[in-house]
């Protein structure tokens, strides 16, 4: 087995916002990554100090969404370059990791 | 665009525990971080080997909660120093990453 | 307090698949890690381009599951070596981090 360097990426978005659709569409149709996983947070506190929480009353509130993927560093670099045009750059975090191929 | 060094932090807590409220209150009111995201796990197996699982019967069980945030390393250092007084240190994990500002 | 080097691990699986049970059973009964957390994604797009999404109609679809844990690097190395026999290696990602003990 080969353990190789990869880059992990997490992109912080929110439910119901237009950029979420744009990012997913681009990742699926145009990017070179093999796949990604989407997580929904139960609460997000943003820059504005505004709190978005899941509750039984308002299930459709703007809950935080994280899109996560990883890939070979040179492939992910290409993805990040384009992603930064779709999403505010401070919503994208990446770091080096290891995975098997 | 500027890509800068940041520190990512994940804090592992559990639903319904007092320290969760304390940590969130402190992050919102006193810390210098811009925001954070809260995730709920569907199962946690702890040090005690005790298993906490989401089920239809007991939705209020002590499910794992993760609070995640990132920020400039020197800002996060200050946050971590205080967090370690609120939460057992082995529940806090941090690592270097990159983000745009 | 001691802040030490740890290795973070995320293992990408899917609900309802046999390897999820196998991995959890092994982690609980045989591995040297103190605990782990399980997260369910709301959507996964895999290698095949196939999309698995949570919906009100089909709650039992093959949603992505992530098992996360961390530990001392030398302990995690042992865990990873065995995990790679249970799970395809490209479903396991790990990276260095810091935590308190």
């Amino acid at each position: 087995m080969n353990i190789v360097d990869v880059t992990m990426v997490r992109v912080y978005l929110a439910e119901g916002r237009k950029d979420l659709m744009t990012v997913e569409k681009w990742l699926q149709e145009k990017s070179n990554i093999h796949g990604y996983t989407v997580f929904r947070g139960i609460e997000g506190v943003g820059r504005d100090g505004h709190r978005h929480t899941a509750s039984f009353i308002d299930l459709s509130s703007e809950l935080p969404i994280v899109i996560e993927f990883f890939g070979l560093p040179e492939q992910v670099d290409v993805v990040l370059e384009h992603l930064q045009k779709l999403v505010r750059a401070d919503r994208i975090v990446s770091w080096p990791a290891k995975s098997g191929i």
Side-chain angles (χ1 to χ4, degrees), chain A:
Chain A
M1 186 184 328
N2 258 337
I3 301 297
V4 298
D5 289 321
V6 295
T7 301
M8 277 282 283
V9 180
R10 276 169 83 86
V11 185
Y12 297 80
L13 299 165
E15 249 178 342
R17 278 191 10 195
K18 205 175 57 184
D19 54 4
L20 177 58
M21 297 286 280
T22 316
V23 168
E24 287 214 54
K25 201 174 147 63
W26 183 78
L27 285 175
Q28 280 173 39
E29 295 174 7
K30 302 282 173 61
S31 82
N32 58 9
I33 57 161
H34 290 305
Y36 60 87
T37 310
V38 183
F39 300 91
R40 180 195 282 126
I42 57 166
E43 185 192 343
V45 176
R47 286 205 152 210
D48 50 0
H50 203 110
R51 215 174 150 191
H52 303 282
T53 318
S55 78
F56 286 104
I57 295 157
D58 181 14
L59 279 167
S60 61
S61 61
E62 266 206 358
L63 287 179
I65 294 286
V66 171
I67 299 181
E68 178 174 299
F69 57 88
F70 59 92
L72 296 175
E74 56 275 19
Q75 289 176 338
V76 172
D77 280 352
V78 176
V79 174
L80 287 179
E81 206 172 319
H82 188 83
L83 261 188
Q84 284 152 359
K85 294 172 191 161
L86 302 178
V87 179
R88 234 172 54 199
D90 65 353
R91 293 182 172 277
I92 306 172
V93 180
S94 63
W95 64 90
K98 300 273 182 190
S99 183
I101 51 168

